[in-house]
DNA sequence: ACTGATTTATGAGTAGGTACTAATAGTTAG
DNA sequence: CTAACTATTAGTACCTACTCATAAATCAGT
């Protein structure tokens, strides 16, 4: 900052700053706004912003609980040959419950679920989370078909993985997807 | 616990316990294992497990960065009429770059991206994250089509939302999806 | 009973606060 | 011009959840 601002303006900026950078301490904030640590504390108090440890904890908790519940959701398909951080294979046999009665075509979300499960399994982590997915359904999959999904980790940066999934029935591609999966330590 | 265990066994259980419940303090652990706080600290030291504040922080940081980068990814489609926590509408005009040259059919991921963007936008949060999605492509969408995606928040529990997206072209359903979206405060 | 491993206790120091009091500087109203 | 009020800063005691170092107590096996 350098310059000293008035109270109102500073508090507005302070709020924005903490929203963007929630893990910052009062000391760093004091330096940034060129005021004392006490002033920052009064500001936080006035704005109802909790201390940095509370902020960190709330982010961790809010995220951790859904992650855990996602993790518990069962695996779709049988995993074969998973090489962590590289790729893997999963097999799903299409049964009566997965298809539309009328035409015996598999409901799309089963293929999605198989692919998603595999993408998550391939990532080497206690807990993994699908950030986003782009999927394409290429051919209808029918009752009795055996769907073989193949995962390839396209790239990894930090704890972010891009996993490509190609699902085939009798060597014919039926589904293709790219999943961005995040890994976390705990 | 009640009973007192030997060192090795206790350390094994301690590690498992912290993996399941990473936000627990040494004091709680000491009570749980019926030993002193100092013993827990020696155990953590031996196992290379950092203190609770570090553990909380690492969960928050690992998750927060990818969340932020996801947030920055641009919105697909134009938002109209978003009622936070309830529903919304988005319009996407299909142009040359979104279709296959051969048959002028829209690449599936554009519909996915529009739906995903809308699902995230509808959630009332600074930052939101797609946990999982189930999508179905119902009819091919062609060059020049105007895709109207409609979002409905089906239920909300804590910071977890189930958002249904129905996309139509000229009142005909072309895409349907259910997105589970997580919201976070910061 | 002795010895070594294990456990517990004690004290000092740390970060990042809360909650409070007191002093000072700056602004505004009468 | 001065009293009143607001804003800022300083300082204190206390808190949690530790780390690191050292010492004492306890327990288990021979």
């Amino acid at each position: 900052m350098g310059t000293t601002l008035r109270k109102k303006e500073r508090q507005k900026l302070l709020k924005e700053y903490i929203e963007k950078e929630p893990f910052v301490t009062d000391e760093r904030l004091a330096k940034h706004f060129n005021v004392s640590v006490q002033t920052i504390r009064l500001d936080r108090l006035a704005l109802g912003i909790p201390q940095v440890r509370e902020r960190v904890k709330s982010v961790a908790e809010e995220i951790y609980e859904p992650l855990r519940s996602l993790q518990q959701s069962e695996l779709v398909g049988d995993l074969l040959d998973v090489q962590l951080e590289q790729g893997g294979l999963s097999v799903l046999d299409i049964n009566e419950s997965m298809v539309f009665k009328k035409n015996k075509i598999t409901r799309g979300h089963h293929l999605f679920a198989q692919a998603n499960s595999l993408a998550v399994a391939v990532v080497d982590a206690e807990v993994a989370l699908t950030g986003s997915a782009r999927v394409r359904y290429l051919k209808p999959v029918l009752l009795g078909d055996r769907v073989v999904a193949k995962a390839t980790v396209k790239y990894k940066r930090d704890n972010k993985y891009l996993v490509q999934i190609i699902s085939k029935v009798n060597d014919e591609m039926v589904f293709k997807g790219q999943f961005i999966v995040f890994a976390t330590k705990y």
Side-chain angles (χ1 to χ4, degrees), chain A residues 78-91 118-119 121-122 148-153 163-166:
Chain A
D78 298 313
L79 288 185
L80 311 169
D81 186 37
V82 169
Q83 293 122 32
L84 291 176
E85 311 241 339
Q86 292 180 53
L89 229 57
S90 149
V91 172
L118 178 58
V122 153
V148 179
K150 193 180 160 187
T152 316
V153 176
V163 185
Q164 186 181 65
I165 307 279
I166 290 173

Side-chain angles (χ1 to χ4, degrees), chain A residues 25 72 96 116:
Chain A
T25 63
Q72 281 167 0
E96 204 56 72
N116 191 53

Side-chain angles (χ1 to χ4, degrees), chain A residues 46-74:
Chain A
L47 297 166
I49 298 171
Q51 61 165 281
V52 68
R53 282 166 182 161
E54 297 295 320
R55 301 196 299 270
V56 169
K57 206 176 173 188
S58 84
V59 168
E61 277 174 349
E62 276 178 29
I63 275 301
Y64 189 74
E65 276 312 311
L67 269 180
R68 177 143 56 180
S69 65
L70 265 187
Q71 185 66 359
Q72 281 167 0
S73 73
E74 91 264 59

Side-chain angles (χ1 to χ4, degrees), chain A residues 1-169:
Chain A
M1 291 295 296
T3 55
T4 308
L5 295 160
R6 299 278 166 73
K7 196 185 173 191
K8 261 199 164 176
E9 177 68 0
R10 186 189 59 234
Q11 291 191 344
K12 187 174 158 267
L13 293 174
L14 182 75
K15 201 182 164 191
E16 287 167 13
Y17 194 101
I18 293 175
E19 269 161 19
K20 275 189 199 156
E21 199 80 58
F23 306 155
V24 67
T25 63
D26 288 357
E27 207 182 322
R28 304 289 298 116
L29 288 166
K31 275 181 190 156
H32 183 263
F33 286 102
N34 202 30
V35 292
S36 72
V37 173
Q38 286 79 358
T39 301
I40 294 295
R41 285 177 186 163
L42 287 173
D43 285 348
R44 272 200 301 102
L45 203 71
L47 297 166
I49 298 171
Q51 61 165 281
V52 68
R53 282 166 182 161
E54 297 295 320
R55 301 196 299 270
V56 169
K57 206 176 173 188
S58 84
V59 168
E61 277 174 349
E62 276 178 29
I63 275 301
Y64 189 74
E65 276 312 311
L67 269 180
R68 177 143 56 180
S69 65
L70 265 187
Q71 185 66 359
Q72 281 167 0
S73 73
E74 91 264 59
L75 192 73
V76 176
D78 298 313
L79 288 185
L80 311 169
D81 186 37
V82 169
Q83 293 122 32
L84 291 176
E85 311 241 339
Q86 292 180 53
L89 229 57
S90 149
V91 172
L92 178 67
D93 289 312
I94 303 302
N95 63 40
E96 204 56 72
S97 75
M98 301 175 187
V99 299
F100 295 103
K101 269 184 208 160
K102 270 190 196 176
N103 53 18
K104 307 293 180 194
I105 289 177
T106 306
R107 281 171 238 264
H109 68 251
H110 291 108
L111 298 179
F112 185 93
Q114 179 194 20
N116 191 53
S117 288
L118 178 58
V120 165
V122 153
V123 166
D124 183 16
E126 297 286 318
V127 181
L129 173 78
T130 308
S132 71
R134 292 177 169 188
V135 296
R136 274 171 58 203
Y137 294 91
L138 306 169
K139 277 213 151 219
V141 174
L142 304 173
L143 176 60
D145 279 351
R146 164 162 293 195
V147 184
V148 179
K150 193 180 160 187
T152 316
V153 176
K154 285 292 179 184
Y155 74 82
K156 180 197 169 182
R157 214 164 61 200
D158 303 324
N159 63 330
K160 184 173 165 183
Y161 296 73
L162 177 66
V163 185
Q164 186 181 65
I165 307 279
I166 290 173
S167 298
K168 293 181 179 181
V169 172

